[in-house]
Amino acid sequence: MSATPEDRPHPSPETSPRVVVIGAGIVGCSLADELTARGWTDVTVLEQGPLPAPGGSTSHAPGLVFRTSPSKTLTEFARYTVEKFGSLSHDGVPCFEPVGGLELATTPERLADLHRRAGLASARGVRGEVVNTARCKELWPLLDESVVLGGFHTPEDGLARALPACRAQLDRATARGARFLDRHTVTGIERADGRVTGVITDRGVFPADHVVSAAGFWGPVIGRMAGVDVPLQPLAHQYARTRPLPELSGASREATLPILRFQDADLYFREHHDRIGIGSYAHRPLPVDPFGVPGYDEARGRGMEMPSSYPFTEEDWAPSWADARRLVPALREVEVESGFNGVFSFTPDGMPVLGEARELRGFWLAEAVWVTHSAGVARAVAEWMVDGRPSIDVHDCDVTRFEEAQRSPAYVCERGSQQFVEVYDVTHPLQPMERPRPLRVSPFHARQEQLGAFFLEGGGWERPHWYEANAPLVASLGAELPERDPWSARYWSPIAAAEARATREGVALYDMTPLRRLEVTGPGALDFLDRMTTNKLRKKPGAVTYTLLLDETGGIRSDLTVARLAEDHFQVGANSPADLDHLLRHAPAGVHLRDITSGTCCIGVWGPLARALVQPLTGDDFSHEGFGYFRARRTHIGHVPVTAMRLSYVGELGWELYTTADLGLRLWDTLWEAGRELGVIAAGRSAFHSLRLEKGYRAWGTDMTAEHTPAEAGVGFAVRMDKGGFVGRDALRDRPEPTRRLTPLLLDDPAAVVLGSEPVSVDGTTAGYVTSAGYGYTLGRCVAYAWLPAGLAPGTGVHIEYFGEKIPATVAEEPLFDPEMTRIRR
C-alpha cells in the first residue's frame, strides 16, 4: 500500500477539475493532499477560521489512533492513517508517534471482550496480543495493578499529531498547485441544472466542478446550503489535563507510554510531557446545535478558546476524576490544570458520512470523521472522485445508507447521543438500539406480538427473531441441541432451532416485509436493467432472475432479484437505499423507479407443506408444473390480491407473497387460519439465518461487497458474459483467476459456535476471516463462511479463533444442504 500515489498519471492543469473543499481540518488537508497527488491540482480549500488551527475538532483532537474495530472499513481507514502520518513530519515534528496502545480490563467481561478484540485485530491484519497484569504494569508503570485483570496491547498504534499532519499535507498540496484560504466563511452553494457550480463566501464566489464538505460539526450547516441532508449530531466530550506529575518530571518527549483505554470507566489517557491528558465518555450526552456553534471570532469574544471548545462542566467531570485516580494513584497527588468540552461529530450508526449527493451532483460529503480515520477517508473520497470508486468497500459509510425514517433531526440526535454513550461499551453484534422503538413495523406486528415475538431492529424495522409461542416445540429437539457459551447465547433462543426444524418438516410464515422492493417501469426499463446487471433479463413476463449489480471494476455493488411482471414493469428485490440511488443516477429518460417497500408487505411461506397451505386459497395452479421455480404471477390468496414469486431463501418449497400494506393483516390471517390444520408456525430471522447458511445463500454487505468479484464470492452463475454489454463486463473478462474465495466451513465440534468476523488460520497462520456464521440445525454443526485463499480443497483443516480459543473446522463442499435442489423444486 503506497502512502502517496505519486506514480499515477497526472492530468494537465487545463484538464484538472475545479475542486473546492470546505474545511481545512485534518480531513480537508488530507483530501487536498490525496487529490493533488492524483493530478487534480486545481484545489481550493476554504476555512472560516485562521490557519493552522482554525478552531474545529482537529484543533483540539487528542490524536489517539486505535486501529482495531468491528468495522473492517474503519480498520482500513485507520491503518492507512498510521502508515501515511508515520511517513510525515513538519518542522522536525513527526506526525505520528508509534507509542502503542493498551486497552485495560478490570472486569471478567471486559477481559473476555479483549480476547474477542484480539481476534478482530488478527482478522483485520493488526498486530496485538492479550497481556497479563504484570505486562500491563510494565507497559504503564503508573497503573495500580491491583485493579487490572489484563490488557490488549497493540504496539503499532499511537498518537497522531493532527495539526502538524495538517501542515505537512497542506505544504505538499500547495506545492502541487492547491491553495488554502483562511478567514473565508461559506454563506451559500451555487448550483444549476442539478449540479454544483460554486461556493459563495463572505469574500467572493469560487467556481467549482466539485465541492467537498469537510466541515466537521458544521457539516449540517453546509449541507442545508446545498439542499443536502447531513445526518450528523455534534456532541461535547470532556477532556482535561493535569498539573505536572513528579513521576513524569524531566520528560524529553511528548509521549513514551502507550495510549491507554480504561473502557470499564469510559476513560482514556495520554501523556503531554509531564502531564496526563484524560478524556471521558462517562458523562451525560451533551448535544450541540450545529447551527448555533459560533464562528471563530465570535467564540473568542465569548471567552472560548475556539468554536469547538466549550466550557468545562465540573459536575460532569467529578465521577470520571474519581475513576481516573482509582486506576492511576499518582493522580491523587495532583489536580486538574485545565479542561474543556470539545465538540465532535456522531452519526446514528457511528460511521462517517461519505460520498456524492444525488440531489446535487458534484457535491460530496466527507463528514463525521475522526483523526483516527482521516487519511484513510481522504484517500477513499479522492479515489471515488478521481477513479469513480474507492479501492476498499465503503458501503457502511455511504451517505445513501440511511432510511428516510432515520433522517429526522430527532432520530439523528437521539441515536447520535446513544452512540456517544456506547463508544466503549461491550456491544454484541446483534445488539439492537434501544430507542426510538418501535419505529417501523410491518402490518403483521400485532399478530407477532400476540405470538410472543422477540424483536431485534434493522433499518428501523422491528424484526421477529423467534416466537415464544413456539417454545413447546423445543422439547421435541431432545438432546440434539448443544448448550451455548454466554456470548453466543445472547439474542438467541433454542426456539430458533425448533422453528428451523418446523420449516424443514412442515410449513412456516416468515415476515419478509423489510426486504427492499423497487418498482421499475417504462418503455426502456428492460434495456436499462439488462445493461446495469449481469444476468439475462430478456425473458417473458413472469420470469424471476437472480442477478448482480457490479461497478466498473467488476466488484459486487449489490445482488438483486428481478421479477418481470409485464413487458415494461419490473419488481426488484434490492438491499439498501444505495441501490435505488445508484439506479436513479443511471436511469435514462422514460424509465421510472420508486421504492415501494413502505407501501407493501411480504410473507414467505416455506416448507414441504407450503403448497398444501397455499393451493386451496387460490384458483390458480400452484403445482410445480403450473408454477415453476423462479417464476412470478399475480393472483389472489383468499380475498387478497398478491404478487406471488416462487423463491426460497431457506432452501425449501415455497413462495414470497406480496401485497399492499393495507391488506397485509388480512393476508396473514388468511394464511394462519388455513394453516392451522397443517401445524403452521410463525418463524423468525434466527431460524431464517441458519437455514440460508445451510444452503450457502450469500448476504450482500456481509459475505460479499464491492471488494469482491462474482467468481471470488461464488456467485459467478449469475453472470452471463455472452448476453451483451453490461456494467463491469470488460473488467471481469480481464480479471485473472481468483486468489481468494468465499469458503464454507463446518466446525468439527458439534457444540462449538462462532458468530462472524473471527480470524481463520491455515497451517498456523492467519489466512482470512469469517463473514457469516450460525448453527446449522439440520446439519448439527455450526456453519461459517470465510474469505480464504483459493484452492483449499474440501476436507482441509483450519482453525477459527473465538475468544482466544482455536476451534478446529473443516473446509466443506457446497451446497451443504440438498445439493440436488430437490426440496425446492418439488
Side-chain angles (χ1 to χ4, degrees):
M1 185 188 298
S2 173
T4 54
E6 297 290 357
D7 57 337
R8 291 178 177 271
H10 291 184
S12 66
E14 293 77 18
T15 61
S16 178
R18 299 168 299 177
V19 180
V20 174
V21 179
I22 301 172
I26 191 65
V27 178
C29 291
S30 298
L31 181 58
D33 182 47
E34 295 287 337
L35 285 171
T36 55
R38 287 167 172 76
W40 282 25
T41 55
D42 189 351
V43 176
T44 300
V45 183
L46 302 175
E47 175 53 60
Q48 59 93 26
L51 293 174
S57 299
T58 299
S59 301
H60 72 245
L64 281 68
V65 178
F66 285 91
R67 292 165 297 163
T68 304
S69 169
S71 165
K72 179 176 178 290
T73 304
L74 290 185
T75 297
E76 291 292 339
F77 286 160
R79 189 204 315 274
Y80 183 71
T81 299
V82 167
E83 180 184 333
K84 183 177 186 182
F85 290 1
S87 70
L88 298 176
S89 63
H90 180 71
D91 287 344
V93 177
C95 295
F96 183 77
E97 196 70 57
V99 294
L102 180 61
E103 303 179 42
L104 298 178
T106 60
T107 65
E109 181 187 33
R110 181 69 63 177
L111 185 59
D113 190 59
L114 293 187
H115 282 283
R116 184 176 69 94
R117 287 181 61 77
L120 282 174
S122 178
R124 309 281 188 252
V126 175
R127 187 164 72 95
E129 63 174 336
V130 176
V131 296
N132 62 23
T133 301
R135 179 59 175 155
C136 291
K137 177 71 172 179
E138 181 182 340
L139 290 165
W140 236 84
L142 300 182
L143 292 175
D144 178 356
E145 68 268 37
S146 70
V147 302
V148 176
L149 300 181
F152 175 48
H153 180 222
T154 47
E156 280 95 27
D157 287 340
L159 290 169
R161 295 186 173 95
L163 290 179
C166 284
R167 292 297 300 178
Q169 294 177 102
L170 181 154
D171 291 346
R172 297 203 315 186
T174 300
R176 301 187 192 111
R179 57 177 177 166
F180 289 74
L181 303 175
D182 63 0
R183 297 293 188 174
H184 282 65
T185 299
V186 174
T187 59
I189 304 294
E190 286 191 333
R191 40 192 159 163
D193 300 322
R195 283 203 63 90
V196 70
T197 59
V199 177
I200 306 168
T201 76
D202 58 351
R203 299 176 66 177
V205 178
F206 295 82
D209 302 302
H210 297 272
V211 172
V212 184
S213 177
F217 53 74
W218 282 290
V221 179
I222 302 300
R224 180 174 293 183
M225 295 177 189
V228 174
D229 179 46
V230 181
L232 174 162
Q233 177 60 54
L235 287 114
H237 161 60
Q238 289 202 307
Y239 191 79
R241 291 195 194 194
T242 69
R243 295 188 182 279
L245 275 70
E247 292 84 352
L248 299 178
S249 63
S252 59
R253 293 169 56 190
E254 179 184 1
T256 58
L257 301 177
I259 49 178
L260 186 71
R261 278 174 164 171
F262 180 20
Q263 291 158 298
D264 289 323
D266 294 313
L267 296 174
Y268 62 83
F269 303 76
R270 58 152 294 180
E271 295 168 278
H272 294 280
H273 294 287
D274 60 353
R275 293 162 168 79
I276 295 291
I278 307 167
S280 172
Y281 294 99
H283 55 83
R284 62 194 167 94
L286 300 169
V288 173
D289 179 5
F291 295 89
V293 177
Y296 189 89
D297 293 325
E298 183 185 353
R300 303 281 285 190
R302 294 187 191 176
M304 299 164 59
E305 184 178 343
M306 62 185 80
S308 63
S309 179
Y310 275 53
F312 196 60
T313 50
E314 294 282 354
E315 66 276 14
D316 293 312
W317 176 249
S320 292
W321 185 227
D323 285 331
R325 288 175 151 182
R326 177 167 61 91
L327 181 71
V328 182
L331 297 178
R332 300 168 192 169
E333 307 303 320
V334 298
E335 298 298 330
V336 169
E337 183 175 66
S338 62
F340 63 95
N341 289 1
V343 182
F344 63 144
S345 304
F346 285 83
T347 58
D349 60 4
M351 298 293 287
V353 178
L354 311 178
E356 184 186 26
R358 184 173 47 80
E359 309 97 304
L360 184 61
R361 301 299 298 273
F363 183 81
W364 295 78
L365 296 175
E367 298 290 10
V369 182
W370 295 5
V371 172
T372 300
H373 311 114
S374 55
V377 163
R379 180 183 64 165
V381 173
E383 290 171 339
W384 212 338
M385 296 173 71
V386 175
D387 304 328
R389 72 184 291 273
S391 58
I392 66 170
D393 172 61
V394 296
H395 80 273
D396 50 1
C397 305
D398 196 309
V399 62
T400 63
R401 70 187 182 272
F402 294 111
E403 304 283 349
E404 192 63 31
Q406 297 173 308
R407 290 179 170 271
S408 71
Y411 184 95
V412 172
C413 180
E414 188 165 5
R415 289 303 307 147
S417 297
Q418 189 61 28
Q419 288 294 329
F420 177 92
V421 170
E422 295 174 357
V423 163
Y424 283 166
D425 284 0
V426 177
T427 55
H428 193 276
L430 292 177
Q431 183 171 322
M433 66 179 189
E434 296 178 2
R435 300 184 310 272
R437 290 181 63 190
L439 184 63
R440 307 176 79 186
V441 298
S442 78
F444 327 124
H445 186 72
R447 298 294 185 263
Q448 292 165 345
E449 287 188 311
Q450 291 168 4
L451 293 170
F454 180 85
F455 292 100
L456 296 179
E457 179 272 342
W461 288 101
E462 294 296 317
R463 303 185 181 202
H465 273 241
W466 64 82
Y467 295 85
E468 288 297 328
N470 296 324
L473 300 178
V474 175
S476 66
L477 298 174
E480 298 175 25
L481 197 62
E483 289 195 16
R484 292 197 169 207
D485 65 275
W487 185 253
S488 65
R490 291 192 195 181
Y491 307 107
W492 174 84
S493 168
I495 296 172
E499 292 176 357
R501 171 178 280 188
T503 306
R504 290 277 189 240
E505 297 178 354
V507 61
L509 306 184
Y510 287 82
D511 182 359
M512 302 302 292
T513 299
L515 179 73
R516 183 168 306 280
R517 294 172 289 286
L518 310 178
E519 182 182 71
V520 185
T521 58
L526 174 59
D527 290 340
F528 166 63
L529 289 173
D530 199 50
R531 184 178 72 255
M532 294 298 294
T533 66
T534 60
N535 213 337
K536 290 184 178 180
L537 300 185
R538 298 187 182 279
K539 304 172 183 176
K540 294 179 181 180
V544 182
T545 306
Y546 176 78
T547 187
L548 307 173
L549 275 179
L550 304 183
D551 61 27
E552 295 289 352
T553 70
I556 304 170
R557 287 189 58 99
S558 188
D559 62 343
L560 310 176
T561 302
V562 179
R564 191 177 190 185
L565 303 181
E567 286 293 324
D568 300 320
H569 184 183
F570 296 81
Q571 181 172 308
V572 177
N575 284 297
S576 77
D579 293 342
L580 176 61
D581 180 85
H582 178 67
L583 293 171
L584 284 171
R585 289 175 187 266
H586 293 86
V591 173
H592 307 287
L593 292 95
R594 67 187 184 106
D595 190 325
I596 61 172
T597 310
S598 297
T600 56
C601 59
C602 177
I603 300 175
V605 184
W606 290 312
L609 299 181
R611 183 174 288 116
L613 171 55
V614 175
Q615 183 63 85
L617 300 174
T618 178
D620 287 314
D621 183 1
F622 270 55
S623 69
H624 182 62
E625 295 73 21
F627 197 151
Y629 190 53
F630 263 78
R631 299 292 298 173
R633 69 167 50 147
R634 286 173 169 153
T635 184
H636 288 79
I637 300 295
H639 297 92
V640 181
V642 301
T643 298
M645 298 186 195
R646 191 171 167 197
L647 308 175
S648 176
Y649 205 54
V650 300
E652 295 293 336
L653 171 69
W655 289 265
E656 293 177 357
L657 303 177
Y658 299 88
T659 192
T660 53
D662 60 322
L663 290 168
L665 190 59
R666 183 62 178 264
L667 176 61
W668 179 280
D669 288 345
T670 300
L671 293 166
W672 189 259
E673 289 302 318
R676 283 184 183 275
E677 62 184 31
L678 299 173
V680 69
I681 68 160
R685 298 288 297 186
S686 187
F688 178 88
H689 178 66
S690 170
L691 297 170
R692 74 97 180 167
L693 280 172
E694 291 183 328
K695 282 299 293 180
Y697 292 145
R698 278 50 169 162
W700 185 86
T702 302
D703 297 320
M704 57 188 186
T705 69
E707 291 184 355
H708 309 114
T709 66
E712 292 173 332
V715 289
F717 63 87
V719 178
R720 300 300 177 91
M721 297 294 287
D722 60 347
K723 77 163 191 169
F726 59 85
V727 175
R729 180 176 182 269
D730 292 343
L732 291 185
R733 186 177 52 213
D734 298 334
R735 282 265 188 170
E737 280 295 307
T739 59
R740 60 179 178 177
R741 291 190 187 277
L742 187 63
T743 305
L745 306 174
L746 283 175
L747 274 61
D748 294 351
D749 182 354
V753 174
V754 299
L755 300 182
S757 297
E758 297 88 358
V760 182
S761 58
V762 180
D763 296 329
T765 301
T766 299
Y769 61 93
V770 174
T771 57
S772 295
Y775 202 84
Y777 301 113
T778 316
L779 301 174
R781 291 284 191 281
C782 182
V783 180
Y785 273 80
W787 281 104
L788 291 171
L792 294 180
T796 301
V798 302
H799 286 86
I800 302 173
E801 183 177 334
Y802 182 72
F803 286 90
E805 180 185 355
K806 301 286 188 180
I807 298 178
T810 302
V811 174
E813 191 166 1
E814 61 178 342
L816 305 173
F817 176 77
D818 188 26
E820 302 301 323
M821 301 286 282
T822 56
R823 299 178 71 90
I824 292 177
R825 295 189 171 117
R826 56 172 147 189

